[in-house]
Amino acid sequence: MKDKVILVGVSGGIAAYKAAGLCSALVKEGAEVHVIMTESAMKFVTPLTFQSLVKKPVVTDIFTEPDPAEISHIALADKADLMVVAPATANVIAKAACGLADDMLTTTLLATRAPVLFAPAMNVNMYNNPIVQENLSRLRSRGYLTAEPGEGPLACGYTGKGRLPEPEELVEIIREFFARSQDMKGLNVLVTAGGTRERIDPVRYLTNDSSGKMGFALAEAAARRGANVTLVVGNTAVTPPSNVKVVRAESALDMYREVMERLRGQDVVIKAAAVSDYRPSETAGQKIKKTEDRMTLELVRNPDILAEVGARKSPGQVIVGFAAETTEVEANATDKLLRKNADLIVANDVSREGAGFGVDTNIVSFIRQDQPLRQLPQMSKRDVAEAILNEILTIRKDRV
Ligand code: CTP
């Protein structure tokens, strides 16, 4: 971490003492560390503790400007290569998610263009509160990073999720962040996400359960790693990330057109969308009125976008598909890999708990040509996204 400037924001939770360990470890790693504390953080640990560890003045008050030549929160915000908020209380997470800036920490959070990592730490019931979870998702959808809290006995007496990861664990996350921070720089990546809507009439359509979360996590992570990302989005339950170019596509035919138009020049194409295999043979111009007791809807096949992308694959392009299966996962995924001329199939058994549509976790395996299947453990969709991007980079390296 030599030459890296890391801004550590400490907010007011009992885990504030662990932030001292984090700062000390970051300094040992060679980083230049600056600390900002909130009013409540100072009730747990004194600024002097941090100042002694990082050998820099600790910033606590937005209106104290020690150097008349600069404005502290802007100078610090501009200087940082990474900002880490540890511990991040429910309060600071909520303020950041709403864009509030009523102290030095939250003001600097708004002013910085550096990546920000939030390490939440709080009581398990607070952490699981949907409001806190919504705020965290909101931050993630804007490209902020979040560290998963640890599980175990908490200071409040409860046992559960909410512990600040140990300083060494946080240092490992930060080390990994710097290692891969720009490893996709300059690559053009096209990701599709969400489900398609196949219109029956102006108010009705056929669709599926895809939430878009997996594709969004991929797009967001690739952009963070330096790629130029185009995200072709169908119907989704969550808001797309804001650090990528978003193209809307309602039906499979729309998605087919949008993808084909942008195929040239892409280094990587990831088809995470759940594309409807069929569409109504006709879309009624007016709302269909009920008449008989039975009604038959005729469906026709949609183009297979992944197969078409595979057929037109240019040298050097890496094509990734997904296989959402409920039976014979490996056999079906291997068949898709060959049939669609993909380089990687990310297979998951969507009937398993913790995998597939709507949830925040996934259990996937990687299937590549001439390679044994690689099963990954249950992970958050964000971690799965990072693992997929790592695998894509390995495929590119293996080719050289
Ligand atoms: N896919 C696609 N276009 C379609 C159907 C699927 O691009 N019309 C892509 C999906 O985005 C995914 C992969 O193909 O990356 C596998 O999707 P899946 O529905 O599991 O595959 P199918 O080929 O439809 O397989 P089957 O119906 O035989 O299970």
Side-chain angles (χ1 to χ4, degrees):
M1 294 187 202
K2 226 171 148 20
D3 303 326
K4 299 288 185 213
V5 177
I6 303 177
L7 214 55
V8 178
V10 185
S11 61
I14 176 64
Y17 78 93
K18 281 195 193 169
L22 171 67
C23 289
S24 161
L26 292 174
V27 170
K28 276 200 199 101
E29 291 279 328
E32 179 183 321
V33 181
H34 295 263
V35 178
I36 301 176
M37 295 179 81
T38 63
E39 203 57 46
S40 332
M42 289 188 284
K43 300 237 164 42
F44 290 95
V45 193
T46 67
L48 185 62
T49 308
F50 288 98
Q51 185 178 305
S52 314
L53 292 168
V54 305
K55 313 280 188 297
K56 297 264 181 304
V58 171
V59 190
T60 56
D61 178 11
I62 196 158
F63 300 109
T64 309
E65 293 290 6
D67 181 357
E70 61 177 31
I71 296 171
S72 300
H73 65 276
I74 303 294
L76 278 176
D78 286 350
K79 215 172 167 178
D81 293 302
L82 174 69
M83 189 163 172
V84 182
V85 185
T89 57
N91 185 48
V92 92
I93 290 167
K95 286 206 261 180
C98 293
L100 290 183
D102 63 353
D103 62 7
M104 189 65 185
L105 177 53
T106 46
T107 309
T108 311
L109 275 170
L110 276 190
T112 194
R113 276 170 300 170
V116 180
L117 168 70
F118 285 90
M122 64 198 77
N123 160 273
V124 55
N125 295 333
M126 287 173 78
Y127 182 71
N128 288 332
N129 191 309
I131 298 179
V132 174
Q133 288 304 317
E134 252 173 58
N135 287 334
L136 283 168
S137 321
R138 187 159 178 193
L139 288 171
R140 275 183 220 118
S141 75
R142 298 264 166 217
Y144 290 91
L145 303 163
T146 59
E148 203 71 8
E151 287 202 46
L154 304 173
C156 51
Y158 278 90
T159 298
K161 206 166 181 174
R163 288 167 68 97
L164 184 71
E166 295 306 314
E168 310 78 66
E169 293 171 59
L170 286 173
V171 169
E172 193 47 45
I173 295 173
I174 295 167
R175 203 184 283 125
E176 246 176 58
F177 164 80
F178 282 123
R180 68 179 177 215
S181 61
Q182 290 298 297
D183 60 1
M184 297 190 84
K185 198 168 179 62
L187 288 184
N188 295 321
V189 176
L190 188 143
V191 181
T192 68
T196 56
R197 280 180 176 174
E198 309 300 327
R199 287 264 157 216
I200 299 169
D201 69 16
V203 294
R204 301 181 180 99
Y205 51 79
L206 300 172
T207 190
N208 55 60
D209 281 333
S210 173
S211 62
K213 285 181 178 174
M214 192 61 246
F216 287 0
L218 278 158
E220 195 182 304
R224 213 183 312 110
R225 289 167 76 157
N228 311 312
V229 180
T230 307
L231 179 62
V232 180
V233 185
N235 178 38
T236 63
V238 283
T239 326
S242 52
N243 56 349
V244 303
K245 181 173 174 224
V246 175
V247 177
R248 294 278 172 187
E250 187 179 77
S251 65
L253 283 177
D254 294 338
M255 190 172 276
Y256 176 80
R257 258 192 311 272
E258 300 295 353
V259 169
M260 291 308 153
E261 228 169 70
R262 293 169 172 80
L263 195 56
R264 267 190 59 183
Q266 298 296 342
D267 299 293
V268 179
V269 179
I270 309 175
K271 288 252 40 240
V275 184
S276 177
D277 289 324
Y278 294 90
R279 67 178 182 278
S281 56
E282 277 173 42
T283 301
Q286 306 299 328
K287 187 180 166 204
I288 299 171
K289 291 281 177 199
K290 60 180 162 305
T291 47
E292 310 297 319
D293 281 351
R294 278 167 179 268
M295 178 186 168
T296 304
L297 194 62
E298 193 192 39
L299 303 177
V300 291
R301 279 287 288 273
N302 269 327
D304 187 323
I305 309 173
L306 181 60
E308 196 58 38
V309 169
R312 297 191 197 181
K313 179 158 73 176
S314 62
Q317 247 178 3
V318 178
I319 311 294
V320 181
F322 277 74
E325 305 291 344
T326 52
T327 52
E328 298 191 57
V329 180
E330 185 176 354
N332 285 330
T334 309
D335 175 57
K336 267 168 212 174
L337 179 82
L338 301 174
R339 202 159 33 88
K340 305 195 185 198
N341 194 26
D343 300 289
L344 171 66
I345 290 284
V346 180
N348 62 354
D349 181 343
V350 283
S351 63
R352 281 176 75 176
E353 201 177 309
F357 296 136
V359 291
D360 287 321
T361 54
N362 215 346
I363 310 166
V364 303
S365 48
F366 289 161
I367 291 141
R368 280 174 60 179
Q369 299 198 12
D370 309 320
Q371 298 261 348
L373 172 142
R374 187 149 82 84
Q375 176 69 56
L376 275 68
Q378 177 170 342
M379 297 198 254
S380 69
K381 285 190 173 165
R382 282 174 304 122
D383 288 344
V384 172
E386 302 289 358
I388 293 170
L389 299 181
N390 291 344
E391 193 70 19
I392 290 169
L393 293 182
T394 309
I395 294 172
R396 283 175 57 85
K397 258 194 222 122
D398 288 351
R399 281 190 184 157
V400 194

